[in-house]
Amino acid sequence: MDAGPSYGVSPGAGSGRKSNMNILVTGGAGFIGSNFLRMSVPNRPSDSFLNLDKLTYAANPANLAGIESLPNYQFERLDIADGKAVGEAFSRFLPDLVVHFAAESHVDRSIRSPGDFVQANVVGTFQLLEAFRTHSAARPGALFHHVSTDEVYGSVEGDARFVETTRYDPSSPYSASKAAADHLVRAYWRTYGLPVRITNCSNNYGPYQFPEKLIPLMILNALEGKPLPIYGRGLNVRDWLFVEDHCDAIWAVVERGKNGETYNIGGNCERANMEVVNTICEVVAEETGTPVVELKKLITYVEDRPGHDLRYAIDASKIAAECGWVPKHSFKEALLETVRWYRQERAWVDGVRSGEYLRWVETNYGARS
Ligand code: TDX
């Protein structure tokens, strides 16, 4: 790794990875992938980035407005489950590093349409591994970094926390599809010696998250005086990770992790859903001057999600010890930043809600398959 620009990790603390890398990012128009690209592309001018994204409903080209004209960035609309197209992209770009974010990720949608999740998350990961095996694996220092989730471990009991060796026990079609993808990645390490690393992160939040997930949905509904729907009794616990901390963690693993290893990434921030929604009400009240009691009156208990995991809790000590990464943002501060972003970026919010950007994609790239 060059000692030059290196996002979020100590300067010069590289692992000897070469500079001038070709970095292929999948799902870079989605929430976490676009945060990763916005943080990385301008800061790594000697690396070339290729973003492969199918531009499904949760991807938004507007997420990349600030970087799309940079000379070290290219975009290609592509379905990762299309093995031929993936192979062609790899043979042209010859990636040294693949950071694989692309996934269908919303649990409620996976309950309604599980097939889409198997296709994108399992078949898509398989096609990328095959293309990487054919075109990249022999390149010195090549690495396939697979971005996964803590949901593969299922619900944790008592005070325990997920460690990297916790048995996989997925509850939803979404988490089962991510678990299957993780197994494939690990199998390619054991069978073919493919240089791979896996990270399993907790619940992300921050700017540009599609408003189907808890935090952006609650922020927007609170700003608009709409009901705040809490599943069940609101006692389910998640560990919350600010998206920029997550992107820093990925670079820390790329630069200082080991091949064949898995690293858990967490925000050290466990909260019951109820508590998260109350904090959102408090932050929105402070920002808008709306009395907090009025916002809390919007809380509505709705039918629980089937197979709803009670608690996710990450033990992130391995990445701290081996890669020197710890989260930098406090929940309150990062939530305030997120609330301010959703208040300011009305055009983005209106665009994703109205489907305006879907029409833009159709005009520029043709109809979605
Ligand atoms: O309207 C809601 N009401 C509610 O109570 C929504 C959308 C969610 N919830 C609850 C369900 C969960 O307990 O909030 C919690 C968080 O829900 P989601 O934002 O849907 O996330 P979760 O189901 O925990 O899964 C997330 O974390 C792991 C992401 O969606 C995954 O993509 C990630 O891999």
Side-chain angles (χ1 to χ4, degrees):
M1 188 69 58
D2 51 332
S6 168
Y7 198 94
V9 294
S10 327
S15 60
R17 192 171 298 285
K18 65 178 179 154
S19 55
N20 304 315
M21 286 192 291
N22 289 338
I23 303 176
L24 187 149
V25 171
T26 70
F31 163 50
I32 305 173
S34 67
N35 274 283
F36 181 84
L37 285 170
R38 280 194 312 278
M39 289 165 72
S40 306
V41 176
N43 287 301
R44 306 183 73 94
S46 62
D47 292 329
S48 295
F49 290 80
L50 172 62
N51 173 16
L52 301 184
D53 198 298
K54 188 182 176 187
L55 298 179
T56 61
Y57 78 97
N60 187 346
N63 297 358
L64 298 161
I67 61 162
E68 63 196 1
S69 59
L70 295 180
N72 60 334
Y73 173 76
Q74 304 167 55
F75 172 78
E76 192 174 330
R77 188 188 187 194
L78 180 152
D79 179 355
I80 54 166
D82 178 346
K84 186 165 173 284
V86 170
E88 283 166 8
F90 271 68
S91 75
R92 271 196 313 276
F93 188 66
L94 297 176
D96 301 291
L97 170 64
V98 173
V99 187
H100 175 30
F101 293 98
E104 288 288 342
S105 71
H106 189 43
V107 174
D108 297 325
R109 280 181 193 259
S110 83
I111 295 169
R112 294 195 295 272
S113 347
D116 296 346
F117 287 68
V118 173
Q119 194 62 16
N121 301 353
V122 186
V123 178
T125 301
F126 162 72
Q127 297 294 5
L128 290 167
L129 287 166
E130 276 297 295
F132 185 79
R133 183 155 82 97
T134 308
H135 299 287
S136 293
R139 293 171 73 78
L143 176 63
F144 187 100
H145 184 103
H146 176 61
V147 178
S148 190
T149 168
D150 61 0
E151 296 209 25
V152 298
Y153 300 122
S155 196
V156 72
E157 302 292 325
D159 291 337
R161 293 169 137 204
F162 301 132
V163 290
E164 287 77 1
T165 50
T166 299
R167 184 171 68 92
Y168 275 30
D169 189 19
S171 303
S172 69
Y174 161 65
S175 48
S177 68
K178 289 297 286 185
D182 292 10
H183 289 318
L184 275 172
V185 174
R186 229 169 257 127
Y188 271 64
W189 158 249
R190 293 194 192 146
T191 306
Y192 306 111
L194 226 63
V196 303
R197 293 174 202 172
I198 299 175
T199 45
N200 294 86
C201 68
S202 58
N203 285 54
N204 281 223
Y205 66 101
Y208 296 91
Q209 188 168 29
F210 195 82
E212 63 186 352
K213 303 279 172 80
L214 181 74
I215 287 187
L217 180 81
M218 295 295 172
I219 291 174
L220 289 175
N221 284 10
L223 288 170
E224 293 165 359
K226 292 184 185 159
L228 306 176
I230 295 190
Y231 298 161
R233 295 166 60 209
L235 301 178
N236 305 68
V237 173
R238 298 291 183 265
D239 172 74
W240 293 98
L241 173 65
F242 189 53
V243 64
E244 291 179 13
D245 282 332
H246 183 192
C247 295
D248 280 349
I250 291 170
W251 276 118
V253 171
V254 166
E255 299 197 340
R256 297 193 289 282
K258 290 199 196 93
N259 289 346
E261 292 289 324
T262 295
Y263 300 87
N264 282 346
I265 306 173
N268 197 18
C269 175
E270 278 180 52
R271 300 278 189 282
N273 293 340
M274 196 58 241
E275 219 181 320
V276 170
V277 175
N278 276 320
T279 310
I280 290 172
C281 289
E282 284 153 22
V283 173
V284 169
E286 279 162 29
E287 285 296 291
T288 61
T290 310
V292 71
V293 285
E294 293 303 315
L295 295 174
K296 289 189 179 174
K297 276 189 205 154
L298 300 170
I299 293 174
T300 314
Y301 293 93
V302 299
E303 193 182 336
D304 209 353
R305 171 188 278 171
H308 196 176
D309 288 328
L310 184 58
R311 177 167 166 256
Y312 301 149
I314 281 269
D315 177 340
S317 50
K318 179 176 172 182
I319 188 174
E322 295 187 15
C323 307
W325 174 88
V326 288
K328 294 196 192 87
H329 293 85
S330 79
F331 186 58
K332 194 81 193 273
E333 280 163 14
L335 192 63
L336 175 62
E337 186 179 330
T338 307
V339 167
R340 287 185 175 156
W341 188 87
Y342 279 93
R343 274 193 90 194
Q344 274 157 22
E345 299 298 328
R346 288 311 304 186
W348 184 92
V349 171
D350 294 344
V352 299
R353 281 179 165 170
S354 68
E356 183 192 302
Y357 80 101
L358 296 177
R359 288 189 288 282
W360 182 90
V361 167
E362 287 197 7
T363 308
N364 286 277
Y365 295 98
R368 285 155 195 259
S369 50

